[in-house]
Amino acid sequence: MMIAVLLISRTRRDLKISLLGVLIGSMGYLVNSSTMLAPPQPWRMPIDLLSVSTTVWAWIFAHQLFERRIAKPLLIAAPALLLLLWTIAYILPGKQWFTFYAIHFLSLALVIHLITIALTDRADDLIEKRRRIRMYLPIFVGLQVGGVLTYEVFFGTADNLPGISAINAMLILILIIGAGMAVLTAEGDLFSKPVADRRPVRSSLNLSPSETVLHDKLIAAMNEGQYRTPSLTIATLATQLDTPEHRLRALINKQLGHRNFSSFLNGYRITEAKEKLSDRALVDLPILTIAMDLGYGSLAPFNRAFRAETGQTPSDFRKAAIDQN
């Protein structure tokens, strides 16, 4: 049912592919680990591959859902290494002990990374439903997937231990129900394609009286250069504006169109950066100094944000801007 809904939904393509991988891989895991549904020999190998690929698909899906870019070498290396280990296990049966542990450790590393990105970026996320997913997903993925992988590494499979199998089955049921609720009741902004962040004028917004007051306070703070504050968080900004954090998140997300607080700040920071990089009087000002003055903790996040906004590195942008002037 989830696959059918997913196929006819307006979910963006990258999420459809990875979520289909998670769902089909999970089906392979359920069949592969069942004593009643044990597949015949010709089907056992592909179903086993689907089963072990579930963690990779879940890792990719988490990055896409949370709008985190995966470095291309890592995106290629993780599934390629998994496929290589699985192939070795079938070609060289004597090496199955090695591939068993290698596949489990690789899967555990991906699960740990999935949990890390879900939790570390939660404060920056402005979409309320996705914030809830960031909180619950690590718990149940960690308990079920991480728990099973860890148990099997130390104690082997739990086929002959009904108690462990029952706990595993219950955790799978909770995960399926949670995933079903997320997919079947998904709001448009959760699985939709991210749009370019914008800075609309107040007259184009449909604001309530309280939102109008908060909007004016927010824009005044930004115009005063509050966005230059190092390590500024939405919680800190909400305190400074004397407003509940959830109201500020809702305003920036639903009214101003930003999905992450960092993208809201970058809109102001990169605008000022382009002005400074285009200024002939500041041509010798180091790019690192500009980045630090704008609130970035180091050069790397500034370079990433600038390239994402302009398609150029700061140095290339400066060269082109000075040449044009």
Side-chain angles (χ1 to χ4, degrees), residues 9-214:
S9 71
R10 296 182 179 179
T11 301
R12 63 183 195 264
R13 185 182 177 187
D14 59 344
L15 272 178
K16 275 189 178 182
I17 294 173
S18 60
L19 187 50
L20 279 172
V22 172
L23 295 174
I24 295 173
S26 299
M27 292 166 65
Y29 170 79
L30 292 173
V31 172
N32 198 40
S33 59
S34 171
T35 55
M36 297 178 63
L37 300 176
Q41 187 60 41
W43 293 98
R44 196 162 296 171
M45 288 178 59
I47 289 178
D48 184 55
L49 179 59
L50 288 175
S51 175
V52 299
S53 71
T54 307
T55 307
V56 174
W57 283 116
W59 174 72
I60 295 173
F61 172 72
H63 277 79
Q64 293 170 341
L65 178 62
F66 302 144
E67 297 169 29
R68 284 276 301 247
R69 179 180 173 273
I70 309 177
K72 191 173 182 180
L74 190 58
L75 179 60
I76 295 173
L81 180 57
L82 182 70
L83 180 60
L84 175 63
L85 292 169
W86 176 85
T87 304
I88 292 173
Y90 277 92
I91 294 178
L92 303 173
K95 299 293 184 181
Q96 283 189 352
W97 65 270
F98 167 76
T99 55
F100 174 84
Y101 286 105
I103 289 174
H104 277 64
F105 281 122
L106 172 61
S107 298
L108 273 173
L110 295 177
V111 168
I112 292 170
H113 191 217
L114 183 158
I115 293 172
T116 301
I117 64 173
L119 294 177
T120 53
D121 289 345
R122 185 172 183 270
D124 187 57
D125 203 333
L126 298 176
I127 301 176
E128 193 57 41
K129 191 164 188 177
R130 195 167 64 182
R131 283 171 54 81
R132 292 197 296 270
I133 291 175
R134 284 181 181 273
M135 183 169 61
Y136 294 119
L137 181 67
I139 295 174
F140 292 113
V141 168
L143 285 174
Q144 200 281 315
V145 183
V148 168
L149 290 170
T150 303
Y151 183 90
E152 290 183 352
V153 164
F154 289 100
F155 303 105
T157 61
D159 295 341
N160 299 320
L161 297 173
I164 299 297
S165 296
I167 294 173
N168 185 29
M170 184 58 65
L171 290 173
I172 290 173
L173 178 61
I174 294 172
L175 273 174
I176 290 173
I177 292 174
M181 291 176 64
V183 171
L184 300 177
T185 64
E187 299 168 359
D189 60 349
L190 183 60
F191 291 160
S192 61
K193 184 177 181 178
V195 295
D197 290 327
R198 55 196 187 277
R199 292 167 62 179
V201 295
R202 195 182 73 178
S203 59
S204 66
L205 301 174
N206 184 23
L207 301 174
S208 68
S210 60
E211 287 176 329
T212 298
V213 173
L214 179 56

Side-chain angles (χ1 to χ4, degrees), residues 216-227 237 240-241:
D216 290 349
K217 290 168 64 177
L218 173 63
I219 299 304
M222 293 298 105
N223 290 339
E224 291 171 1
Q226 193 65 46
Y227 57 87
L237 183 58
Q240 293 172 351
L241 297 179

